[in-house]
Amino acid sequence: MNRTDRGASVSLAELEKRYDRVNAVDGVSLDIHSGEFLTLLGPSGSGKTSTLMMIAGFETPTAGDIAIDGTSVVAMPPYRRNIGMVFQNYALFPHLTVEENIGFPLKQRGVPKAERARLVAEALELVHLPGYGERYPRQLSGGQQQRVAVARAVVFKPRLLLMDEPLGALDKQLRENLQLEMRRLHADLGITFIYVTHDQEEALTMSDRIAVMNDGKVAQVGSPEDLYDRPSDRFVAGFIGESNFLPAIVRGMEDDVVITECDGALIRAMCPGRPASGDRVTLTTRPERLRFADSAWNATTPQNRLSVTVTEAVFAGERCRYMLQATDGTSMVLKEPSSAAIRRRAIGERAEISWSVADTILV
Amino acid sequence: MSEIAQPSPIAVPLGAVRPLLRNWRRHVPLMLVAPLLIYMLVLYALPVLAMLLRSLNDPTWTLSHYTALFEDVVFAKTFWITFNTSVIVTLGCLILGYPVAMGLVRAKTMAPLILVVILLPFWTSVLVRSYAWMVLLGRHGLINEGLLALGMIDRPMRILNTSLATQIAMIHILLPYMILPIANALRQIDPSLLRAASGLGATPFMTFRQVILPLSMSGVAAGTLLTFVLALGFYITPAMVGGPRDITLSMLIAQEVDQLNWAYAATLSAVLLATALGILAAARHLPGVGNAFRMSMR
């Protein structure tokens, strides 16, 4: 069986959820492919959890449609949708043992007892918790409870698994371990995962694709590389990773590269559209992609250059972090890998910085 | 800095007394409850004890009052009626109260209103409520007149002064004691558990049976216990609206006191008290009830 047979495809069309006068979800259209690991990423209040709750069936959309494998499920109660779900607080039944918790969805489906025991044991194996079946949830650590919740959500072999910030309550170390385990689980099961988080690093690490949400709308959908290297707007550039923003004025186009004037210098940037000459725009670039022009750095790609003054210098072990100020007052961050061979800059020092045109995006 | 922080103005001359002072502070909680404790001891516990002793030393030290109960037909019948009434009333409260508790917990804007409706009779005296039931259930009471007007009966039914009347009135009076502990238990169920159950394929009924009901058992146990023990000691209501032959233990006690039959009344009281305490003690070991006890302590 190939991967696509096992996962459901989900299609959201102009989905909307209105509470009183606020649109928590405001016209979300998104196609989630079969077997994909898609993350809904956004700050709190961006509508990501509301969207997930509508897919699960716990919330009813005020407009729009949700189709799973091509069939609209909007009118279907959650218990008929056959979707696995992992909650942020795990939502394990406190009066049932681990075994009974994992067996719960099988029991609802009328799976005979012997078969149930076999599937439960299999699921416990899958999440590395064999031998824990007799315990009660309160006797487990947070990480173990989380695994039980995952086992319970996949034991009935759903084609779609929804996860609402499942790692939010765990400490950093454990979270990183479980992130890898989730990825492995996704690869093993081959089913579609829809994952909600506000943690951009988590989203970048785990997802096939990320839908960045803001104010109830999808700001950008794409692979982690797409979003990081080619953010479509200022919100995405600022929310995922660290970004410098430079105000500039459009002076012309050269193929698909836009030429702008910024702080008296000509800066070239990548731009999908065709802005008109004279437009005021914002350019964005990542701090780790800036370099001091005089350091040992042989760039073969087209470069942008700008004169700056160092206003702050922090040594952070693996890298040095400099705050810079352009002559027009724009402040920028530059991250340089640390090396005993690279000269550290002093505060107040004037310097020339350069970076690749490909790493400059007009947003 | 540390000198300024010293909060003791009498520190120097009383240095030696200080440990005592500290001790004194530790006993403050006990001293705060002492007045009530003494009041209860002198005016309640001692008289109850003196009264109970009468079942053993009237006229001389003897167990004869208790042994006599085994052959006492009136006692056996009264005890059975009391017990039977309490069971029926408790079941009635449970069946009527559980859905109300669920409604109370689920209602959002209506919840305060429902709570007031439940508690309103709670704040009215039992005597007044029993009189009200006499008016409602009487031969020319609201219920009979209503049913007559609707043409559902030809002549007034006899409801007042039957055991049914006792049961109806007692259920009404005791309902809050059942509803509130159950509502409390239901309120503590994490709503995400209900979502989880539904998402995992449980229909609303299965969610109720497998999640809500078991998780509310502590409240059910507490409410049942409270209602049952209170029902055992009911006096005014059965005396006012009950049937002439439906004599409960507390009515029998009152009757014996009227006839100055102190030793017999004391013996019956001891039996009633022992029954209530026995039930509470036995129920404490049920898992759900143990939880309820601990929860009410918090």
Side-chain angles (χ1 to χ4, degrees), chain B residues 58-100:
Chain B
D58 194 346
T60 52
W61 286 99
T62 171
L63 278 172
S64 63
H65 297 301
Y66 287 94
T67 50
L69 284 183
F70 288 106
E71 285 141 41
D72 187 339
V73 184
V74 176
F75 168 75
K77 189 164 179 247
T78 311
F79 191 86
W80 166 245
I81 289 170
T82 308
F83 202 85
N84 190 39
T85 306
S86 299
V87 168
I88 291 170
V89 167
T90 305
L91 282 177
C93 284
L94 184 59
I95 292 165
L96 292 173
Y98 199 102
V100 176

mmCIF file of all heavy atoms in Angstrom, chain B residues 58-100:
data_model
loop_
_atom_site.group_PDB
_atom_site.id
_atom_site.type_symbol
_atom_site.label_atom_id
_atom_site.label_comp_id
_atom_site.label_asym_id
_atom_site.label_seq_id
_atom_site.Cartn_x
_atom_site.Cartn_y
_atom_site.Cartn_z
ATOM 1 N N ASP B 58 -32.000 3.133 83.056
ATOM 2 C CA ASP B 58 -33.317 3.536 83.548
ATOM 3 C C ASP B 58 -34.155 2.289 83.757
ATOM 4 O O ASP B 58 -34.515 1.623 82.776
ATOM 5 C CB ASP B 58 -33.968 4.479 82.521
ATOM 6 C CG ASP B 58 -35.161 5.210 83.105
ATOM 7 O OD1 ASP B 58 -35.639 4.805 84.176
ATOM 8 O OD2 ASP B 58 -35.600 6.183 82.478
ATOM 9 N N PRO B 59 -34.530 1.871 84.888
ATOM 10 C CA PRO B 59 -34.232 2.508 86.175
ATOM 11 C C PRO B 59 -32.858 2.120 86.735
ATOM 12 O O PRO B 59 -32.273 2.893 87.478
ATOM 13 C CB PRO B 59 -35.339 1.953 87.074
ATOM 14 C CG PRO B 59 -35.678 0.613 86.479
ATOM 15 C CD PRO B 59 -35.417 0.709 85.020
ATOM 16 N N THR B 60 -32.345 0.920 86.383
ATOM 17 C CA THR B 60 -30.999 0.523 86.818
ATOM 18 C C THR B 60 -30.208 0.168 85.567
ATOM 19 O O THR B 60 -30.758 0.124 84.468
ATOM 20 C CB THR B 60 -31.035 -0.709 87.733
ATOM 21 O OG1 THR B 60 -31.793 -1.718 87.057
ATOM 22 C CG2 THR B 60 -31.633 -0.385 89.086
ATOM 23 N N TRP B 61 -28.885 -0.069 85.700
ATOM 24 C CA TRP B 61 -28.074 -0.450 84.545
ATOM 25 C C TRP B 61 -28.599 -1.731 83.935
ATOM 26 O O TRP B 61 -28.670 -2.744 84.586
ATOM 27 C CB TRP B 61 -26.605 -0.631 84.938
ATOM 28 C CG TRP B 61 -25.933 0.693 85.171
ATOM 29 C CD1 TRP B 61 -25.693 1.294 86.370
ATOM 30 C CD2 TRP B 61 -25.450 1.564 84.150
ATOM 31 N NE1 TRP B 61 -25.095 2.495 86.187
ATOM 32 C CE2 TRP B 61 -24.931 2.705 84.818
ATOM 33 C CE3 TRP B 61 -25.415 1.534 82.764
ATOM 34 C CZ2 TRP B 61 -24.365 3.779 84.142
ATOM 35 C CZ3 TRP B 61 -24.849 2.587 82.095
ATOM 36 C CH2 TRP B 61 -24.333 3.699 82.763
ATOM 37 N N THR B 62 -28.987 -1.678 82.675
ATOM 38 C CA THR B 62 -29.575 -2.860 82.031
ATOM 39 C C THR B 62 -29.543 -2.723 80.501
ATOM 40 O O THR B 62 -29.534 -1.618 79.975
ATOM 41 C CB THR B 62 -31.046 -3.042 82.475
ATOM 42 O OG1 THR B 62 -31.637 -4.068 81.673
ATOM 43 C CG2 THR B 62 -31.846 -1.757 82.302
ATOM 44 N N LEU B 63 -29.515 -3.864 79.848
ATOM 45 C CA LEU B 63 -29.609 -3.867 78.387
ATOM 46 C C LEU B 63 -31.010 -4.259 77.934
ATOM 47 O O LEU B 63 -31.266 -4.444 76.749
ATOM 48 C CB LEU B 63 -28.600 -4.850 77.790
ATOM 49 C CG LEU B 63 -27.155 -4.340 77.648
ATOM 50 C CD1 LEU B 63 -26.249 -5.463 77.231
ATOM 51 C CD2 LEU B 63 -27.087 -3.197 76.645
ATOM 52 N N SER B 64 -31.899 -4.376 78.916
ATOM 53 C CA SER B 64 -33.229 -4.924 78.628
ATOM 54 C C SER B 64 -33.993 -4.084 77.606
ATOM 55 O O SER B 64 -34.758 -4.611 76.809
ATOM 56 C CB SER B 64 -34.032 -5.042 79.924
ATOM 57 O OG SER B 64 -34.213 -3.745 80.469
ATOM 58 N N HIS B 65 -33.767 -2.767 77.606
ATOM 59 C CA HIS B 65 -34.476 -1.923 76.633
ATOM 60 C C HIS B 65 -34.116 -2.322 75.203
ATOM 61 O O HIS B 65 -34.958 -2.268 74.317
ATOM 62 C CB HIS B 65 -34.130 -0.450 76.852
ATOM 63 C CG HIS B 65 -34.579 0.060 78.187
ATOM 64 N ND1 HIS B 65 -35.883 0.034 78.583
ATOM 65 C CD2 HIS B 65 -33.880 0.577 79.221
ATOM 66 C CE1 HIS B 65 -35.989 0.521 79.808
ATOM 67 N NE2 HIS B 65 -34.773 0.858 80.222
ATOM 68 N N TYR B 66 -32.835 -2.679 75.017
ATOM 69 C CA TYR B 66 -32.399 -3.050 73.669
ATOM 70 C C TYR B 66 -32.884 -4.445 73.289
ATOM 71 O O TYR B 66 -33.379 -4.672 72.192
ATOM 72 C CB TYR B 66 -30.870 -2.978 73.554
ATOM 73 C CG TYR B 66 -30.393 -1.554 73.518
ATOM 74 C CD1 TYR B 66 -29.999 -0.915 74.681
ATOM 75 C CD2 TYR B 66 -30.386 -0.850 72.322
ATOM 76 C CE1 TYR B 66 -29.585 0.410 74.654
ATOM 77 C CE2 TYR B 66 -29.971 0.472 72.288
ATOM 78 C CZ TYR B 66 -29.572 1.094 73.453
ATOM 79 O OH TYR B 66 -29.177 2.393 73.420
ATOM 80 N N THR B 67 -32.754 -5.406 74.248
ATOM 81 C CA THR B 67 -33.188 -6.771 73.938
ATOM 82 C C THR B 67 -34.681 -6.798 73.668
ATOM 83 O O THR B 67 -35.156 -7.547 72.819
ATOM 84 C CB THR B 67 -32.829 -7.731 75.080
ATOM 85 O OG1 THR B 67 -33.289 -7.158 76.313
ATOM 86 C CG2 THR B 67 -31.331 -7.988 75.153
ATOM 87 N N ALA B 68 -35.413 -5.915 74.371
ATOM 88 C CA ALA B 68 -36.868 -5.873 74.191
ATOM 89 C C ALA B 68 -37.236 -5.487 72.756
ATOM 90 O O ALA B 68 -38.272 -5.909 72.240
ATOM 91 C CB ALA B 68 -37.490 -4.879 75.173
ATOM 92 N N LEU B 69 -36.354 -4.683 72.099
ATOM 93 C CA LEU B 69 -36.655 -4.221 70.740
ATOM 94 C C LEU B 69 -36.834 -5.381 69.763
ATOM 95 O O LEU B 69 -37.586 -5.294 68.811
ATOM 96 C CB LEU B 69 -35.540 -3.306 70.227
ATOM 97 C CG LEU B 69 -35.512 -1.882 70.771
ATOM 98 C CD1 LEU B 69 -34.409 -1.102 70.105
ATOM 99 C CD2 LEU B 69 -36.852 -1.202 70.565
ATOM 100 N N PHE B 70 -36.086 -6.490 70.021
ATOM 101 C CA PHE B 70 -36.132 -7.633 69.088
ATOM 102 C C PHE B 70 -37.514 -8.248 68.990
ATOM 103 O O PHE B 70 -37.873 -8.833 67.986
ATOM 104 C CB PHE B 70 -35.112 -8.703 69.496
ATOM 105 C CG PHE B 70 -33.700 -8.263 69.225
ATOM 106 C CD1 PHE B 70 -32.859 -7.890 70.259
ATOM 107 C CD2 PHE B 70 -33.223 -8.213 67.919
ATOM 108 C CE1 PHE B 70 -31.581 -7.487 70.007
ATOM 109 C CE2 PHE B 70 -31.937 -7.803 67.668
ATOM 110 C CZ PHE B 70 -31.101 -7.430 68.710
ATOM 111 N N GLU B 71 -38.291 -8.127 70.089
ATOM 112 C CA GLU B 71 -39.641 -8.718 70.046
ATOM 113 C C GLU B 71 -40.701 -7.645 69.857
ATOM 114 O O GLU B 71 -41.886 -7.943 69.851
ATOM 115 C CB GLU B 71 -39.905 -9.500 71.341
ATOM 116 C CG GLU B 71 -39.160 -10.809 71.359
ATOM 117 C CD GLU B 71 -38.603 -11.097 72.754
ATOM 118 O OE1 GLU B 71 -39.323 -10.850 73.746
ATOM 119 O OE2 GLU B 71 -37.447 -11.552 72.823
ATOM 120 N N ASP B 72 -40.249 -6.401 69.707
ATOM 121 C CA ASP B 72 -41.179 -5.278 69.627
ATOM 122 C C ASP B 72 -41.720 -5.128 68.201
ATOM 123 O O ASP B 72 -41.006 -4.716 67.296
ATOM 124 C CB ASP B 72 -40.437 -4.017 70.050
ATOM 125 C CG ASP B 72 -41.378 -2.827 70.171
ATOM 126 O OD1 ASP B 72 -42.457 -2.882 69.567
ATOM 127 O OD2 ASP B 72 -41.001 -1.856 70.841
ATOM 128 N N VAL B 73 -42.974 -5.495 67.992
ATOM 129 C CA VAL B 73 -43.564 -5.459 66.658
ATOM 130 C C VAL B 73 -43.694 -4.022 66.144
ATOM 131 O O VAL B 73 -43.424 -3.737 64.980
ATOM 132 C CB VAL B 73 -44.958 -6.136 66.665
ATOM 133 C CG1 VAL B 73 -45.523 -6.194 65.242
ATOM 134 C CG2 VAL B 73 -44.876 -7.512 67.278
ATOM 135 N N VAL B 74 -44.092 -3.140 67.033
ATOM 136 C CA VAL B 74 -44.252 -1.731 66.645
ATOM 137 C C VAL B 74 -42.920 -1.177 66.148
ATOM 138 O O VAL B 74 -42.840 -0.526 65.112
ATOM 139 C CB VAL B 74 -44.757 -0.885 67.839
ATOM 140 C CG1 VAL B 74 -44.818 0.591 67.453
ATOM 141 C CG2 VAL B 74 -46.110 -1.389 68.288
ATOM 142 N N PHE B 75 -41.831 -1.483 66.903
ATOM 143 C CA PHE B 75 -40.517 -1.007 66.500
ATOM 144 C C PHE B 75 -40.133 -1.555 65.129
ATOM 145 O O PHE B 75 -39.692 -0.819 64.245
ATOM 146 C CB PHE B 75 -39.459 -1.415 67.530
ATOM 147 C CG PHE B 75 -38.050 -1.209 67.019
ATOM 148 C CD1 PHE B 75 -37.504 0.067 66.944
ATOM 149 C CD2 PHE B 75 -37.304 -2.293 66.565
ATOM 150 C CE1 PHE B 75 -36.232 0.253 66.465
ATOM 151 C CE2 PHE B 75 -36.025 -2.105 66.063
ATOM 152 C CZ PHE B 75 -35.489 -0.834 66.008
ATOM 153 N N ALA B 76 -40.310 -2.856 64.935
ATOM 154 C CA ALA B 76 -39.926 -3.500 63.674
ATOM 155 C C ALA B 76 -40.651 -2.840 62.511
ATOM 156 O O ALA B 76 -40.049 -2.504 61.487
ATOM 157 C CB ALA B 76 -40.230 -4.993 63.731
ATOM 158 N N LYS B 77 -41.955 -2.628 62.693
ATOM 159 C CA LYS B 77 -42.750 -2.052 61.618
ATOM 160 C C LYS B 77 -42.311 -0.611 61.345
ATOM 161 O O LYS B 77 -42.119 -0.187 60.188
ATOM 162 C CB LYS B 77 -44.236 -2.073 62.009
ATOM 163 C CG LYS B 77 -45.120 -1.680 60.853
ATOM 164 C CD LYS B 77 -46.576 -2.063 61.068
ATOM 165 C CE LYS B 77 -47.372 -1.591 59.850
ATOM 166 N NZ LYS B 77 -48.315 -0.517 60.209
ATOM 167 N N THR B 78 -42.099 0.149 62.412
ATOM 168 C CA THR B 78 -41.688 1.546 62.283
ATOM 169 C C THR B 78 -40.327 1.646 61.592
ATOM 170 O O THR B 78 -40.118 2.470 60.701
ATOM 171 C CB THR B 78 -41.601 2.200 63.674
ATOM 172 O OG1 THR B 78 -42.787 1.909 64.385
ATOM 173 C CG2 THR B 78 -41.401 3.698 63.545
ATOM 174 N N PHE B 79 -39.423 0.772 62.037
ATOM 175 C CA PHE B 79 -38.078 0.788 61.466
ATOM 176 C C PHE B 79 -38.158 0.498 59.960
ATOM 177 O O PHE B 79 -37.523 1.149 59.145
ATOM 178 C CB PHE B 79 -37.190 -0.250 62.169
ATOM 179 C CG PHE B 79 -35.739 -0.109 61.816
ATOM 180 C CD1 PHE B 79 -34.921 0.770 62.525
ATOM 181 C CD2 PHE B 79 -35.183 -0.834 60.769
ATOM 182 C CE1 PHE B 79 -33.591 0.909 62.205
ATOM 183 C CE2 PHE B 79 -33.853 -0.682 60.436
ATOM 184 C CZ PHE B 79 -33.049 0.192 61.154
ATOM 185 N N TRP B 80 -38.985 -0.496 59.611
ATOM 186 C CA TRP B 80 -39.141 -0.865 58.195
ATOM 187 C C TRP B 80 -39.710 0.304 57.389
ATOM 188 O O TRP B 80 -39.220 0.634 56.312
ATOM 189 C CB TRP B 80 -40.015 -2.116 58.075
ATOM 190 C CG TRP B 80 -40.491 -2.352 56.672
ATOM 191 C CD1 TRP B 80 -41.766 -2.318 56.224
ATOM 192 C CD2 TRP B 80 -39.659 -2.627 55.533
ATOM 193 N NE1 TRP B 80 -41.803 -2.555 54.878
ATOM 194 C CE2 TRP B 80 -40.514 -2.743 54.426
ATOM 195 C CE3 TRP B 80 -38.275 -2.771 55.350
ATOM 196 C CZ2 TRP B 80 -40.054 -3.011 53.143
ATOM 197 C CZ3 TRP B 80 -37.819 -3.029 54.070
ATOM 198 C CH2 TRP B 80 -38.696 -3.153 52.986
ATOM 199 N N ILE B 81 -40.743 0.950 57.926
ATOM 200 C CA ILE B 81 -41.361 2.089 57.222
ATOM 201 C C ILE B 81 -40.340 3.206 57.015
ATOM 202 O O ILE B 81 -40.219 3.771 55.926
ATOM 203 C CB ILE B 81 -42.583 2.620 58.003
ATOM 204 C CG1 ILE B 81 -43.733 1.605 57.921
ATOM 205 C CG2 ILE B 81 -43.032 3.983 57.473
ATOM 206 C CD1 ILE B 81 -44.884 1.911 58.831
ATOM 207 N N THR B 82 -39.593 3.495 58.082
ATOM 208 C CA THR B 82 -38.597 4.558 58.007
ATOM 209 C C THR B 82 -37.560 4.259 56.925
ATOM 210 O O THR B 82 -37.238 5.097 56.080
ATOM 211 C CB THR B 82 -37.882 4.709 59.362
ATOM 212 O OG1 THR B 82 -38.858 4.843 60.374
ATOM 213 C CG2 THR B 82 -36.959 5.914 59.354
ATOM 214 N N PHE B 83 -37.059 3.013 56.990
ATOM 215 C CA PHE B 83 -36.022 2.595 56.059
ATOM 216 C C PHE B 83 -36.541 2.621 54.622
ATOM 217 O O PHE B 83 -35.919 3.167 53.708
ATOM 218 C CB PHE B 83 -35.562 1.183 56.434
ATOM 219 C CG PHE B 83 -34.198 0.849 55.921
ATOM 220 C CD1 PHE B 83 -33.058 1.210 56.624
ATOM 221 C CD2 PHE B 83 -34.045 0.162 54.717
ATOM 222 C CE1 PHE B 83 -31.798 0.906 56.152
ATOM 223 C CE2 PHE B 83 -32.781 -0.133 54.221
ATOM 224 C CZ PHE B 83 -31.656 0.236 54.949
ATOM 225 N N ASN B 84 -37.719 2.058 54.436
ATOM 226 C CA ASN B 84 -38.364 1.959 53.127
ATOM 227 C C ASN B 84 -38.612 3.354 52.541
ATOM 228 O O ASN B 84 -38.298 3.625 51.381
ATOM 229 C CB ASN B 84 -39.675 1.187 53.289
ATOM 230 C CG ASN B 84 -40.278 0.843 51.940
ATOM 231 O OD1 ASN B 84 -39.534 0.498 51.021
ATOM 232 N ND2 ASN B 84 -41.585 0.956 51.832
ATOM 233 N N THR B 85 -39.157 4.246 53.368
ATOM 234 C CA THR B 85 -39.421 5.616 52.921
ATOM 235 C C THR B 85 -38.126 6.283 52.484
ATOM 236 O O THR B 85 -38.061 6.920 51.425
ATOM 237 C CB THR B 85 -40.062 6.437 54.062
ATOM 238 O OG1 THR B 85 -41.208 5.740 54.529
ATOM 239 C CG2 THR B 85 -40.452 7.821 53.586
ATOM 240 N N SER B 86 -37.082 6.089 53.299
ATOM 241 C CA SER B 86 -35.802 6.729 52.982
ATOM 242 C C SER B 86 -35.256 6.221 51.644
ATOM 243 O O SER B 86 -34.719 7.000 50.854
ATOM 244 C CB SER B 86 -34.789 6.458 54.088
ATOM 245 O OG SER B 86 -35.254 6.984 55.298
ATOM 246 N N VAL B 87 -35.379 4.915 51.405
ATOM 247 C CA VAL B 87 -34.881 4.345 50.154
ATOM 248 C C VAL B 87 -35.648 4.938 48.970
ATOM 249 O O VAL B 87 -35.057 5.400 47.987
ATOM 250 C CB VAL B 87 -34.989 2.801 50.154
ATOM 251 C CG1 VAL B 87 -34.740 2.252 48.762
ATOM 252 C CG2 VAL B 87 -34.010 2.209 51.152
ATOM 253 N N ILE B 88 -36.988 4.955 49.079
ATOM 254 C CA ILE B 88 -37.807 5.472 47.972
ATOM 255 C C ILE B 88 -37.497 6.951 47.720
ATOM 256 O O ILE B 88 -37.315 7.383 46.581
ATOM 257 C CB ILE B 88 -39.312 5.274 48.268
ATOM 258 C CG1 ILE B 88 -39.639 3.778 48.230
ATOM 259 C CG2 ILE B 88 -40.177 6.045 47.281
ATOM 260 C CD1 ILE B 88 -41.021 3.436 48.740
ATOM 261 N N VAL B 89 -37.419 7.720 48.814
ATOM 262 C CA VAL B 89 -37.148 9.159 48.680
ATOM 263 C C VAL B 89 -35.774 9.391 48.038
ATOM 264 O O VAL B 89 -35.616 10.223 47.148
ATOM 265 C CB VAL B 89 -37.239 9.849 50.060
ATOM 266 C CG1 VAL B 89 -36.651 11.248 50.002
ATOM 267 C CG2 VAL B 89 -38.685 9.892 50.521
ATOM 268 N N THR B 90 -34.790 8.603 48.482
ATOM 269 C CA THR B 90 -33.442 8.770 47.939
ATOM 270 C C THR B 90 -33.415 8.455 46.449
ATOM 271 O O THR B 90 -32.831 9.194 45.652
ATOM 272 C CB THR B 90 -32.452 7.861 48.697
ATOM 273 O OG1 THR B 90 -32.546 8.144 50.077
ATOM 274 C CG2 THR B 90 -31.028 8.111 48.228
ATOM 275 N N LEU B 91 -34.064 7.345 46.077
ATOM 276 C CA LEU B 91 -34.119 6.985 44.654
ATOM 277 C C LEU B 91 -34.838 8.063 43.846
ATOM 278 O O LEU B 91 -34.400 8.446 42.764
ATOM 279 C CB LEU B 91 -34.819 5.637 44.478
ATOM 280 C CG LEU B 91 -33.960 4.414 44.800
ATOM 281 C CD1 LEU B 91 -34.777 3.136 44.663
ATOM 282 C CD2 LEU B 91 -32.738 4.366 43.891
ATOM 283 N N GLY B 92 -35.954 8.553 44.417
ATOM 284 C CA GLY B 92 -36.711 9.610 43.738
ATOM 285 C C GLY B 92 -35.847 10.841 43.515
ATOM 286 O O GLY B 92 -35.831 11.424 42.423
ATOM 287 N N CYS B 93 -35.100 11.220 44.550
ATOM 288 C CA CYS B 93 -34.228 12.389 44.449
ATOM 289 C C CYS B 93 -33.155 12.161 43.377
ATOM 290 O O CYS B 93 -32.823 13.061 42.617
ATOM 291 C CB CYS B 93 -33.546 12.679 45.780
ATOM 292 S SG CYS B 93 -34.626 13.449 46.980
ATOM 293 N N LEU B 94 -32.615 10.938 43.333
ATOM 294 C CA LEU B 94 -31.547 10.639 42.383
ATOM 295 C C LEU B 94 -32.069 10.730 40.949
ATOM 296 O O LEU B 94 -31.468 11.380 40.086
ATOM 297 C CB LEU B 94 -30.991 9.236 42.658
ATOM 298 C CG LEU B 94 -29.806 8.794 41.807
ATOM 299 C CD1 LEU B 94 -28.643 9.747 41.994
ATOM 300 C CD2 LEU B 94 -29.379 7.383 42.179
ATOM 301 N N ILE B 95 -33.233 10.103 40.720
ATOM 302 C CA ILE B 95 -33.792 10.083 39.361
ATOM 303 C C ILE B 95 -34.175 11.484 38.899
ATOM 304 O O ILE B 95 -33.918 11.871 37.762
ATOM 305 C CB ILE B 95 -35.010 9.124 39.300
ATOM 306 C CG1 ILE B 95 -34.530 7.683 39.493
ATOM 307 C CG2 ILE B 95 -35.773 9.272 37.997
ATOM 308 C CD1 ILE B 95 -35.635 6.694 39.817
ATOM 309 N N LEU B 96 -34.781 12.260 39.826
ATOM 310 C CA LEU B 96 -35.190 13.617 39.445
ATOM 311 C C LEU B 96 -34.024 14.595 39.487
ATOM 312 O O LEU B 96 -33.982 15.560 38.718
ATOM 313 C CB LEU B 96 -36.291 14.114 40.383
ATOM 314 C CG LEU B 96 -37.631 13.406 40.276
ATOM 315 C CD1 LEU B 96 -38.567 13.891 41.368
ATOM 316 C CD2 LEU B 96 -38.248 13.648 38.902
ATOM 317 N N GLY B 97 -33.068 14.341 40.375
ATOM 318 C CA GLY B 97 -31.999 15.312 40.608
ATOM 319 C C GLY B 97 -30.871 15.254 39.607
ATOM 320 O O GLY B 97 -30.309 16.283 39.240
ATOM 321 N N TYR B 98 -30.511 14.045 39.135
ATOM 322 C CA TYR B 98 -29.356 13.921 38.243
ATOM 323 C C TYR B 98 -29.516 14.772 36.974
ATOM 324 O O TYR B 98 -28.622 15.548 36.629
ATOM 325 C CB TYR B 98 -29.083 12.458 37.899
ATOM 326 C CG TYR B 98 -27.680 12.248 37.374
ATOM 327 C CD1 TYR B 98 -26.688 11.713 38.184
ATOM 328 C CD2 TYR B 98 -27.335 12.603 36.075
ATOM 329 C CE1 TYR B 98 -25.398 11.534 37.727
ATOM 330 C CE2 TYR B 98 -26.044 12.436 35.604
ATOM 331 C CZ TYR B 98 -25.090 11.893 36.420
ATOM 332 O OH TYR B 98 -23.807 11.729 35.962
ATOM 333 N N PRO B 99 -30.674 14.646 36.290
ATOM 334 C CA PRO B 99 -30.832 15.479 35.084
ATOM 335 C C PRO B 99 -30.777 16.971 35.401
ATOM 336 O O PRO B 99 -30.217 17.754 34.620
ATOM 337 C CB PRO B 99 -32.223 15.103 34.566
ATOM 338 C CG PRO B 99 -32.534 13.790 35.186
ATOM 339 C CD PRO B 99 -31.817 13.751 36.487
ATOM 340 N N VAL B 100 -31.315 17.367 36.553
ATOM 341 C CA VAL B 100 -31.277 18.789 36.916
ATOM 342 C C VAL B 100 -29.835 19.228 37.120
ATOM 343 O O VAL B 100 -29.424 20.300 36.659
ATOM 344 C CB VAL B 100 -32.101 19.047 38.200
ATOM 345 C CG1 VAL B 100 -31.980 20.504 38.620
ATOM 346 C CG2 VAL B 100 -33.547 18.666 37.983
#
